[in-house]
Amino acid sequence: MRRNWKIGLAVVLLVSLVLVAISKETPSPFIEMEVKGVRLDTIGHNPVVLLADKDGKKALPIWIGLLEANAIDKELKNITSPRPMTHDLLHSILTQVQVKVKEVKIVDLKDHTYYATLFLKLDKEVIEIDARPSDAIILALKSKIPILISTKILDEQGIALTQKSHFGERYGIRIQELTPAFASHFNFMGKKGVLVAEVLPGSVSDTSGIKAGDIITKVNSKEMGSVEEFEEMFDTGKAGDSLRILLFRENKFQEINLFLKP
């Protein structure tokens, strides 16, 4: 009898250890994010809301409308409008009818458009509502609830936040890493490239015709897959050299010769 009891206890402990190991190995399907702010992108001057995970490892930019950007910015700065705006009204209605906003999730990305789900709690029932991420984020900020994003989306579209620089500048070209989100935004289907974030007025790059929003794919036939590769290629050039730059602009490729001046 005592032997059977010991065997049973051993089996229970073994199963518990296996379950703990599985729970540690299985990643969560959603990650909690924080709203870091809203800004205008340097290329098209369109509003972007920036989300980042709590560990500071990855960020996700989402392009939104101007009105929604203003509403998010007001929430982050605790600015109250003289009269209720649309999101203020919606939040007040939910509060008055005792519907609690439980959480919001950014669940999918289709055809360059993000999809979110709003979870509302009424008594003991949870109601799921399809929503735009911008609207869901505003209600989450008002309700002080978690904003969750699909791990898959963050892995595929997120920007790594590390001490390593994701930006570089050479001869008046300010470039940054080309993330899947930016590639999708500019309809770029290639595998490698770096994004021109800004071109300094009057620089040799400006006079050569390079523009913000261009995706540089090759320099002297060498593929550009990172900021470091871009910097190394330009650093090996000498005054008077000409660099052949293949870039993607407005859904087509074109080549530009950049002359390096002393």
Side-chain angles (χ1 to χ4, degrees), residues 46-77:
N46 297 309
V48 177
V49 59
L50 186 64
L51 305 177
D53 63 20
K54 288 196 168 183
D55 294 330
K57 294 181 179 179
K58 279 193 173 183
L60 181 74
I62 298 179
W63 278 264
I64 59 176
L66 182 59
L67 294 177
E68 290 74 23
N70 288 334
I72 291 174
D73 188 56
K74 285 183 177 180
E75 287 300 320
L76 294 175
K77 295 177 179 177

Side-chain angles (χ1 to χ4, degrees), residues 176-196:
Q176 65 186 78
E177 299 286 355
L178 180 66
T179 67
F182 284 126
S184 176
H185 183 70
F186 291 104
N187 296 318
F188 179 68
M189 305 300 291
K191 294 183 179 179
K192 287 188 175 182
V194 291
L195 177 65
V196 178

